[in-house]
Amino acid sequence: MVIEEKDKDSRIVLLKLSLYCISLWILMFMLIVLKIDVSMIDEKNGLNTLKEFLCANIFSWGCICIILVGLMGYVYFKDYLKNAKRLPVEIEECESVNYENLSFLATYVIPLVCFPMETDREIFVLFAVITIIGCIFVKTNLYYTNPSLVLMGFNVYSVKCKNGGAFKNGIVIVKGKLKVKDIIKYMSLSDNVYFARRIK
């Protein structure tokens, strides 16, 4: 039983970190566009050497790695959600809180895009800031403020459930729209944040 609980906690932490990586997709794409060096690609001769290109774009490859980690996490949590074992609940009240994603963009993504990245020290500080923000988001359960998920068709709702049992009130991340009297199956990410799929 203890091993199962530890395994479950590890999966939840992994999902939270994956969600944070997904939330950084927009930032990472912007940073790649700003920093990738294509000056060594010649129109006539093509790419001079693959090694030079890779070495010249280490920063961009780091951004791509973060995108890939988020992508693997997205595939993982979609598969995990299909196997949700919690009993279905009926939505009694729901209110969209998608506006918080705009706050994330304005507060974190846009300022970080404008962050100076001319020296190795500045790049190190940038990734240190991203790491610190990620730790704060995971600890405070604010990882649901995720503009990348919104672009993929997910929505965030504050809901109250009619026959909730263990789940009465909370924040729900769901693919598509959610309305009163919808039936959902869910899995818990924290005390008040849930991933859900609509079944009716």
Side-chain angles (χ1 to χ4, degrees), residues 19 40 54 60 68 80 87 107 154 157-158:
L19 281 171
M40 62 191 66
L54 293 175
S60 297
L68 291 176
Y80 190 58
L87 292 174
T107 307
F154 286 84
Y157 293 91
S158 175

Side-chain angles (χ1 to χ4, degrees), residues 14 34 45 51 54 84-85 95 105 115 134 142 153-154 161 188:
L14 179 62
L34 288 172
N45 302 321
K51 184 178 180 180
L54 293 175
K85 297 179 180 179
E95 178 185 0
L105 279 173
F115 204 92
L142 290 174
F154 286 84
C161 295
S188 173

Side-chain angles (χ1 to χ4, degrees), residues 9-10 34 36 41 50 62 83 99 101 106-107 110 124 139-140 142 157 163 170 181 194:
D9 291 341
S10 298
L34 288 172
I36 194 165
I41 300 177
L50 180 61
N83 299 315
Y99 61 85
N101 295 299
T107 307
I110 295 175
F124 173 80
K139 289 287 187 181
T140 57
L142 290 174
Y157 293 91
N163 53 336
K181 294 187 178 181
Y194 305 87

Side-chain angles (χ1 to χ4, degrees), residues 28-173:
M28 293 299 111
F29 278 121
M30 290 181 177
L31 292 180
I32 289 170
V33 171
L34 288 172
K35 290 296 291 182
I36 194 165
D37 182 6
V38 294
S39 60
M40 62 191 66
I41 300 177
D42 189 271
E43 290 183 5
K44 294 181 179 179
N45 302 321
L47 188 62
N48 291 334
T49 68
L50 180 61
K51 184 178 180 180
E52 287 181 10
F53 181 73
L54 293 175
C55 292
N57 292 289
I58 292 176
F59 178 86
S60 297
W61 298 123
C63 294
I64 291 172
C65 286
I66 293 175
I67 292 172
L68 291 176
V69 169
L71 182 60
M72 289 187 290
Y74 174 71
V75 173
Y76 174 72
F77 91 72
K78 280 193 71 176
D79 181 67
Y80 190 58
L81 183 56
K82 288 179 182 177
N83 299 315
K85 297 179 180 179
R86 300 293 183 91
L87 292 174
V89 294
E90 181 180 339
I91 301 300
E92 187 174 43
E93 299 176 11
C94 71
E95 178 185 0
S96 174
V97 290
N98 281 330
Y99 61 85
E100 294 191 19
N101 295 299
L102 294 176
S103 300
F104 180 87
L105 279 173
T107 307
Y108 299 103
V109 175
I110 295 175
L112 288 176
V113 168
C114 300
F115 204 92
M117 295 174 289
E118 299 302 321
T119 66
D120 291 342
R121 181 176 295 182
E122 289 171 344
I123 291 173
F124 173 80
V125 170
L126 171 65
F127 278 102
V129 170
I130 289 173
T131 302
I132 292 168
I133 292 173
C135 293
I136 293 171
F137 265 57
V138 170
K139 289 287 187 181
T140 57
N141 294 330
L142 290 174
Y143 46 83
Y144 65 85
T145 57
N146 197 321
S148 301
L149 284 181
V150 172
L151 292 177
M152 291 187 289
F154 286 84
N155 289 286
V156 184
Y157 293 91
S158 175
V159 304
K160 179 180 179 181
C161 295
K162 191 173 183 179
N163 53 336
F167 170 31
K168 185 66 177 175
N169 300 284
I171 300 295
V172 169
I173 305 170

